[in-house]
Amino acid sequence: MVSTLQLEVAHSVLYVHDREAMINFYTDVLGFEVTDRGPLMAPEGPEIIFMSQVANHHHQVAFISGRVKPEASNNTHHTAYRSSGTLDDLKALKKTLDADERVTQIMPLTHGNAWSIYFRDPEFNGIEVFIDTPWHVKQPQGKPLDLNAPTDDIIEFTRATFAPEPEFGPIGDFYQKRADYLAR
Ligand SMILES: [Fe+2]
């Protein structure tokens, strides 16, 4: 029987190579704080470090030591963090990332339904920080996003680029359709 529990993505737990370097990065750049830390399961167990930057999640990401090599993983493509911020906030994040030598592979993209910056943390984990656009469009989609452009131009570029694509329309209509479908 299929579960009827409603699920929400809450956190990722990453094996890390250099705990303190990872803590510093997530703290300095993305604004997380350590909410708890301690040995896992047994007193001599590996340390787990819980990190959050919101009130209603004890942790959104956690680190466990034990990663042998800090190389790109072939397991997880990326972890995405959705923000309620603005395009100006995203532009500011881009500047922060550009100025930080620990960050690699910075790639701003728009999927039509999101404005995103993809990048890699110091241990090459893929991260996406995105904000919603006002639209839905059939996925997958991806076009380079020029975060140096004026905000109004970004909005108009996104609308014009994805308007001809299938299912393009207001995001509210898409959410309503999904809600109706799930309530069937
Ligand atoms: Fe994504």
Side-chain angles (χ1 to χ4, degrees):
M1 200 178 82
V2 177
S3 167
T4 55
L5 286 176
Q6 210 168 68
L7 306 178
E8 170 189 8
V9 175
H11 60 256
S12 309
V13 181
L14 306 175
Y15 283 115
V16 299
H17 180 71
D18 184 337
R19 276 175 303 187
E20 298 310 319
M22 287 290 276
I23 292 167
N24 289 342
F25 177 78
Y26 277 73
T27 304
D28 296 353
V29 176
L30 297 176
F32 285 85
E33 289 176 324
V34 174
T35 52
D36 267 321
R37 63 191 297 172
L40 194 61
M41 309 297 276
E44 69 281 5
E47 188 184 31
I48 184 163
I49 296 127
F50 300 104
M51 307 199 65
S52 180
Q53 36 90 292
V54 294
N56 65 341
H57 282 273
H58 173 268
H59 54 288
Q60 298 169 287
V61 65
F63 304 140
I64 301 178
S65 44
R67 185 168 184 174
V68 181
K69 287 184 185 169
E71 290 174 356
S73 165
N74 63 359
N75 177 322
T76 300
H77 185 276
H78 66 274
T79 300
Y81 295 96
R82 182 191 220 166
S83 171
S84 58
T86 64
L87 271 170
D88 286 340
D89 297 325
L90 208 61
K91 289 178 178 187
L93 174 63
K94 171 75 164 46
K95 288 205 171 77
T96 301
L97 297 174
D98 283 342
D100 198 304
E101 63 197 7
R102 295 167 292 182
V103 185
T104 50
Q105 297 182 29
I106 302 168
M107 190 173 62
L109 267 187
T110 173
H111 300 296
N113 60 1
W115 288 300
S116 304
I117 305 177
Y118 287 84
F119 56 98
R120 289 184 181 265
D121 76 14
E123 297 195 356
F124 307 106
N125 301 295
I127 299 180
E128 174 187 8
V129 173
F130 76 90
I131 61 175
D132 291 330
T133 73
W135 305 293
H136 164 73
V137 61
K138 186 172 171 58
Q139 299 294 315
Q141 303 277 357
K143 288 276 185 288
L145 171 64
D146 179 8
L147 284 172
N148 296 317
T151 297
D152 287 350
D153 291 2
I154 292 174
I155 295 168
E156 178 49 25
F157 162 80
T158 307
R159 193 202 59 74
T161 300
F162 294 100
E165 296 296 321
E167 300 179 17
F168 182 86
I171 190 65
D173 293 358
F174 174 73
Y175 289 158
Q176 189 57 54
K177 233 199 250 170
R178 285 285 298 155
D180 293 346
Y181 171 77
L182 291 169
R184 74 196 184 281

